[in-house]
């Protein structure tokens, strides 16, 4: 019998990947995806714990689901409610205790057990809680990845051993784990066979990857990228998120040597002050970051850099914040994310005495985002008049338009036939908007134009 599944995803790309895999693992027992909770027999909330008020958002969503569940029950229909992701891992049984509508709490390392857990929740009256750490068995037990579009995510590494003092990931995703090279290549091959032309290798600390290779020795991310690049129909490879300390020489060299590896690196720095970096336990200094950037640019001069920043970390002075602005000016980012520090219970920084007032955080965030926005606009504007290879991913907003990505991850809108979906074509960039580009196909690419 067909049953209907609705997954709501919060947060990062790894959660988007996990949501797709949860749907994959539930498909063999009859679940098909639907677009709303109202149509579903099973709702999974795939939560994120990084942002502020994660738990509050979850409980307000659960409040709405409790009402829906009651309404369905009056019609003789059942609704199962599951909470997955990092809040599930962090709060565990507490969630079911606070929200009676919850049937299942499932942590990120237990998704392969979903069919069995759903059956158990159906049979038991009480909520089922599954939050153990079993990374190695999870990936082995998940079914092959289903088609997921021109650009596909592939998790190669999970968890983190770095323990930055603001971050919940080491607690919610557990210790660092790298999937074996053969498993990654198998999944990449499946994704390409299903139509993917770009693969984004995901990990919380992806450049710490050290998966087992064929001969038992572990391979670095650079060697993994080289192996995946050998898949013929695959056009592009990206990876995210990296830690500056794990930017090895071979990964930097790969940016100069592997044509399929895109010239774009997301390299969070968090702060431009050595004092704050030390308090964050980032274990690198500002100069180390500059050094990595210089080496990346030497290997691949056009590399675009993106980053994450936190403002208002406990103890951050005006001078510390000015140092962050100075770092931004010195590096020049193509794009970036910036956040106000928010205390995550259980992390060391949450208990630091010198928390920064919200108003100061607001001012600093506005100043930083202004500077980053100016850089992003400048980066986009500099592509006007150039020709860029664009991988077309989807239909555009207007009929006859496609949207694709430049090598630098900028969305590019182009009038182009749908036959170009999933292919790379050379595009002349005509205009830069704040968050995207507009261009036209180079004449030599046009399938309807004969070459002279
Ligand atoms: N407060 C604010 N930002 C945070 N991040 C992680 N934890 C926190 C926190 N407690 C940001 C970091 C990280 C990004 C994914 O989220 O910048 O790189
Ligand atoms: Fe969190 Fe990234 Fe630091 Fe790991 S390296 S603790 S994931 S911020």
């Amino acid at each position: 019998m067909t049953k209907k599944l609705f997954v709501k995803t919060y947060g990062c790309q790894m959660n988007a990947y996990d949501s797709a895999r949860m749907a994959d693992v539930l498909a063999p027992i009859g679940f098909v995806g639907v677009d709303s909770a109202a149509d579903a027999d099973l709702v999974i909330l795939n939560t994120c714990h990084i942002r502020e008020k994660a738990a509050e958002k979850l409980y307000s969503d659960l409040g709405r689901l409790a009402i829906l569940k009651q309404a369905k029950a009056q019609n003789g229909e059942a609704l199962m409610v599951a909470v997955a992701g990092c809040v599930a891992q962090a709060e565990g049984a507490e969630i079911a205790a606070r929200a009676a509508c919850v049937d299942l709490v499932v942590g990120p390392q237990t998704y392969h057990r979903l069919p069995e857990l759903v059956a158990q929740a159906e049979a038991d009256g009480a909520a089922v809680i599954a939050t153990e750490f079993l990374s190695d068995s999870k990936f082995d037990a998940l079914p092959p990845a289903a088609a997921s579009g021109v650009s596909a995510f592939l998790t190669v590494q999970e968890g983190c051993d770095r323990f930055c003092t603001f971050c919940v990931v080491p607690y919610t995703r557990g210790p660092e784990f790298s999937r074996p090279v053969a498993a990654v290549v198998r999944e990449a091959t499946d994704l390409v066979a299903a139509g993917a032309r770009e693969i984004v290798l995901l990990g919380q600390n992806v450049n710490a990857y050290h998966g087992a290779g064929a001969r038992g020795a572990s391979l670095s991310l650079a060697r993994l990228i080289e192996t995946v690049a050998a898949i013929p129909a695959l056009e592009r490879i990206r990876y995210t998120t990296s830690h500056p300390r794990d930017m090895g020489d071979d990964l930097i060299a790969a940016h100069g040597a592997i044509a399929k590896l895109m010239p774009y690196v997301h390299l969070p720095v968090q702060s431009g002050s050595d004092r704050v970096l030390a308090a964050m336990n980032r274990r690198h200094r500002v100069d180390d970051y500059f050094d990595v950037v210089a080496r990346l640019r030497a290997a691949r001069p056009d590399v675009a850099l993106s980053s994450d920043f936190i403002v208002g970390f406990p103890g951050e002075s005006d001078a510390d914040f000015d140092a962050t602005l100075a770092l931004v000016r010195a590096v020049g980012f193509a794009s970036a994310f910036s956040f106000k520090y928010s205390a995550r219970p259980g992390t060391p920084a949450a208990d630091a005495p010198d928390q920064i007032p919200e108003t100061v955080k607001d001012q600093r965030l506005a100043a930083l985002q202004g500077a980053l926005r100016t850089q992003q606009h400048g980066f986009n504007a500099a592509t006007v008049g150039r020709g860029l290879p664009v991988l077309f991913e989807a239909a555009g907003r207007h009929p006859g338009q496609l949207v694709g990505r430049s090598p630098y991850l900028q969305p590019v809108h182009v009038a182009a036939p749908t036959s170009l979906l999933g292919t790379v074509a050379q595009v002349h960039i005509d205009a830069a908007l704040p968050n995207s580009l507009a261009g036209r196909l180079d004449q030599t690419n046009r399938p309807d134009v004969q070459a002279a």
Side-chain angles (χ1 to χ4, degrees):
M1 200 191 76
T2 315
K3 288 170 279 182
K4 295 184 186 123
L5 168 69
F6 175 67
V7 186
K8 178 169 177 183
T9 308
Y10 311 71
C12 67
Q13 291 141 320
M14 188 158 306
N15 268 10
Y17 174 87
D18 284 346
S19 291
R21 304 315 306 278
M22 285 193 260
D24 290 345
V25 84
L26 289 167
I29 61 162
F31 279 99
V32 294
V34 291
D35 294 332
S36 82
D39 294 335
D41 302 303
L42 168 61
V43 172
I44 302 178
L45 302 179
N46 190 8
T47 59
C48 168
H49 205 274
I50 291 227
R51 297 280 80 83
E52 207 172 2
K53 303 201 171 73
E56 285 91 327
K57 263 185 231 147
L58 169 65
Y59 287 112
S60 79
D61 276 357
L62 286 174
R64 277 190 291 274
L65 285 175
I67 295 167
L68 179 65
K69 187 168 178 159
Q70 217 165 23
K72 282 191 173 240
Q74 278 162 5
N75 288 335
E77 294 167 25
L79 174 66
M80 184 178 292
V81 176
V83 179
C86 289
V87 182
Q89 188 65 44
E91 310 244 320
E94 172 75 21
I95 295 174
R98 262 183 72 176
C101 70
V102 172
D103 301 287
L104 176 58
V105 178
V106 52
Q109 308 307 336
T110 10
Y111 295 155
H112 57 296
R113 292 182 52 214
L114 267 171
E116 154 211 339
L117 295 169
V118 166
Q120 193 185 334
E122 253 164 15
D124 290 7
V128 174
I129 316 292
T131 49
E132 68 272 36
F133 282 123
L134 298 163
S135 299
D136 34 358
S137 57
K138 166 177 135 176
F139 287 109
D140 292 346
L142 284 168
S148 57
V150 172
S151 180
F153 295 132
L154 198 175
T155 295
V156 303
Q157 179 277 331
E158 224 183 319
C160 186
D161 296 334
R162 287 221 166 267
F163 290 92
C164 301
T165 54
F166 53 81
C167 183
V168 287
V169 166
Y171 310 96
T172 58
R173 293 275 172 169
E176 201 281 321
F177 169 79
S178 294
R179 296 175 69 189
V181 174
V184 173
V185 171
R186 206 176 315 123
E187 189 168 329
T189 307
D190 288 345
L191 288 167
V192 172
R197 293 294 171 264
E198 172 178 279
I199 288 183
V200 186
L201 304 174
L202 295 181
Q204 264 98 23
N205 189 1
V206 73
N207 57 346
Y209 176 87
H210 58 274
R215 286 179 210 86
S218 73
L219 262 64
S220 65
L221 181 65
R223 299 284 78 80
L224 180 74
I225 290 169
E226 198 172 74
T227 313
V228 171
I231 300 172
L234 182 63
E235 300 271 6
R236 291 181 166 187
I237 301 171
R238 303 181 185 275
Y239 60 92
T240 197
T241 287
S242 299
H243 191 288
R245 275 275 299 246
D246 293 308
M247 230 39 227
D249 288 339
D250 61 346
L251 183 56
I252 289 173
H255 277 280
I258 302 174
K260 291 183 184 183
L261 181 58
M262 289 296 100
Y264 181 97
V265 182
H266 182 60
L267 196 60
V269 64
Q270 316 295 358
S271 168
S273 153
D274 282 337
R275 221 173 57 80
V276 173
L277 289 175
M280 287 176 164
N281 191 32
R282 294 289 290 176
R283 294 194 278 161
H284 69 81
R285 299 168 63 90
V286 171
D287 279 349
D288 301 319
Y289 191 82
F290 287 147
D291 183 56
V292 171
V293 170
R295 288 188 298 133
L296 269 168
R297 286 184 168 149
R300 177 81 204 224
D302 65 333
V303 71
L305 292 164
S306 126
S307 199
D308 291 342
F309 295 89
I310 295 176
V311 300
F313 186 79
E316 184 188 65
S317 66
D318 286 340
D320 292 323
F321 176 65
D322 287 344
T324 298
L325 291 176
L327 178 143
V328 169
R329 281 192 296 272
V331 173
F333 292 97
S335 74
F337 301 97
S338 39
F339 312 99
K340 289 190 284 182
Y341 171 73
S342 87
R344 298 275 75 109
T347 59
D351 301 322
D354 35 10
Q355 301 287 330
I356 304 295
E358 227 32 51
T359 49
V360 176
K361 288 187 200 169
D362 286 333
Q363 286 160 7
R364 290 181 184 166
L365 187 69
L368 177 61
Q369 291 190 334
L372 290 167
R373 213 175 306 118
T374 304
Q375 289 195 338
Q376 180 171 341
H377 292 179
F379 182 82
N380 287 349
T383 61
V384 174
R386 287 181 58 193
L388 292 178
V390 170
L391 173 60
F392 287 109
E393 294 183 8
R397 234 171 284 134
H398 304 293
Q401 239 191 17
L402 296 183
V403 60
R405 296 261 181 188
S406 78
Y408 314 110
L409 210 58
Q410 299 146 297
V412 188
H413 299 274
V414 183
T418 50
S419 58
L420 290 186
L421 276 175
T423 70
V424 177
Q426 195 67 13
V427 170
H428 180 87
I429 305 301
D430 288 321
L433 305 156
N435 300 309
S436 65
L437 305 174
R440 65 196 130 95
L441 287 177
D442 267 7
Q443 292 302 311
T444 43
N445 279 320
R446 298 254 317 256
D448 53 335
V449 175
Q450 296 289 317

